Amino acid sequence: MGNPLTLNAPAGEPLLEYHRDFDFPVSDVFRAHTDPDLYARWVGPRDLDTRIDAFEARSGGTYRFVQSRGDDEFAFRGMFHTVRQDEFVLQTFEFEGYPDVVTLEYSAFTALPGGRSSVQGRSLYPSVESRDQFLTNGIEDGMSAGYDQLDELLASARTGG
């Protein structure tokens, strides 16, 4: 469903670059990234439930969320360094299961013709090995599934469902 996620992991570099188009306005896509209630409804794979413990999407704000599948829990936390409405988010990201592996991430939101938008970003890891560990554990599938769910959420809002 929706548009494909493009994920690039340059060999020998500790980073991931991504791009995804949406058939929805930039304001809707940005809001879904910064509103905790919406974020919890789409982030990550379908088989995970998301609980938001903290989510202050503003410059200097913090966040923490926990995803669960049965008895398994996966917690993530970080800080929003810069948040510019409908344009840009710069944040740290840490999976609590990999202590001391903190990434610096940005997402740039761009309005496209016809009420469409795109999100383009980059995650900078402490090492190539830590980046590869996220790849091995399915970050691409998780991001792709999450963005497909975001499409569904925004389509449902558009149709009043």
Side-chain angles (χ1 to χ4, degrees), residues 24-142:
F24 302 95
V26 71
S27 58
D28 293 350
V29 175
F30 182 86
R31 187 169 148 250
H33 281 79
T34 57
D35 177 301
D37 295 328
L38 294 176
Y39 188 77
R41 293 173 59 189
W42 68 265
V43 69
R46 284 185 195 280
D47 64 339
L48 294 178
D49 293 317
T50 301
R51 180 186 83 235
I52 303 290
D53 290 341
F55 205 92
E56 306 166 288
R58 59 173 176 75
S59 297
T62 62
Y63 71 91
R64 183 176 191 269
F65 63 94
V66 179
Q67 294 186 307
S68 60
R69 179 187 307 116
D71 292 334
D72 294 329
E73 288 194 342
F74 313 94
F76 305 88
R77 65 181 174 195
M79 179 178 210
F80 293 101
H81 291 266
T82 304
V83 177
R84 285 197 309 269
Q85 183 71 36
D86 298 340
E87 290 181 9
F88 186 79
V89 174
L90 176 67
Q91 67 188 57
T92 59
F93 178 86
E94 180 180 5
F95 170 46
E96 292 179 5
Y98 297 156
D100 305 325
V101 177
V102 178
T103 64
L104 182 63
E105 305 183 334
Y106 79 80
S107 296
F109 299 79
T110 305
L112 300 175
R116 299 179 69 243
S117 61
S118 73
V119 177
Q120 181 174 317
R122 175 180 282 184
S123 299
L124 180 61
Y125 293 80
S127 66
V128 173
E129 294 77 21
S130 59
R131 188 255 342 243
D132 290 349
Q133 190 170 20
F134 275 88
L135 285 168
T136 299
N137 287 322
I139 193 170
E140 184 170 8
D141 290 340

